[in-house]
Amino acid sequence: MTLVKLNNQIPRNFNNLFQDFFNELPVVAGKDWNTNTPPVNIVETTDAYHLELSAPGRNKEDFSVNIEKGLLTISFEKKEETKNEDVKGIRKEFSFQSFKRSFSLDEKIDTDNIQAKYENGILKFLLPKKEQAKDTTKQISIQ
């Protein structure tokens, strides 16, 4: 084995090595680690769709939700933090970045009765189906 010493190399600490590695990867396991988009779960039941958006550390007043032309849009705008000159920050790892997600709503959804609540860092939506769109099971007798 041959050891080679490289001159003029700036020593890197261990944290910077990992940070550089992960920031330079554009896609890891099918996900872009540099996006600001929070993950979403969508589940369908016979009566409604349930949409859950993971957005911890925020207040419900920070979100903007609207429906326009069949598009449900959820957004969060990062507010500027006030600086306190008496406090010296040692390390800051929390990051609350602005985001905007939109979902197409089809004609099955009753947009007048959509409900939303924010609880334990999850923004939850109930998207009820219209009466005629609900799947009904009908038993057919054989004669």
Side-chain angles (χ1 to χ4, degrees):
M1 177 196 304
T2 304
L3 294 175
V4 178
K5 181 178 179 185
L6 299 174
N7 292 327
N8 297 329
Q9 289 290 326
I10 300 170
R12 303 173 107 181
N13 69 29
F14 203 61
N15 287 339
N16 285 345
L17 178 67
F18 280 106
Q19 188 174 8
D20 290 345
F21 176 75
F22 285 113
N23 285 338
E24 289 175 11
L25 284 178
V27 177
V28 176
K31 282 193 169 185
D32 185 351
W33 283 25
N34 292 324
T35 61
N36 303 334
T37 314
V40 173
N41 292 334
I42 302 174
V43 177
E44 180 182 8
T45 63
T46 56
D47 296 332
Y49 293 94
H50 300 269
L51 186 145
E52 296 179 338
L53 186 132
S54 177
R58 295 166 176 93
N59 297 316
K60 66 180 181 179
E61 296 82 16
D62 296 338
F63 296 100
S64 173
V65 180
N66 62 47
I67 299 172
E68 185 177 345
K69 297 180 183 176
L71 207 61
L72 171 68
T73 302
I74 306 161
S75 60
F76 167 77
E77 193 66 35
K78 180 182 175 186
K79 296 178 181 154
E80 291 297 320
E81 297 176 11
T82 57
K83 299 252 180 181
N84 186 347
E85 298 297 326
D86 296 336
V87 178
K88 178 183 175 188
I90 303 298
R91 185 178 190 123
K92 184 176 180 183
E93 292 183 353
F94 287 5
S95 175
F96 299 110
Q97 298 176 345
S98 301
F99 69 83
K100 184 176 186 179
R101 292 227 36 193
S102 296
F103 302 91
S104 296
L105 302 177
D106 63 14
E107 66 280 348
K108 295 179 189 177
I109 296 175
D110 182 5
T111 56
D112 294 332
N113 292 314
I114 293 177
Q115 300 171 17
K117 69 178 174 179
Y118 183 66
E119 125 185 304
N120 297 327
I122 307 290
L123 184 58
K124 298 178 181 183
F125 291 89
L126 173 69
L127 308 166
K129 293 181 182 178
K130 293 178 181 174
E131 269 313 306
Q132 67 270 19
K134 292 181 183 177
D135 292 333
T136 56
T137 305
K138 181 179 178 183
Q139 185 68 32
I140 298 173
S141 62
I142 301 173
Q143 296 182 3

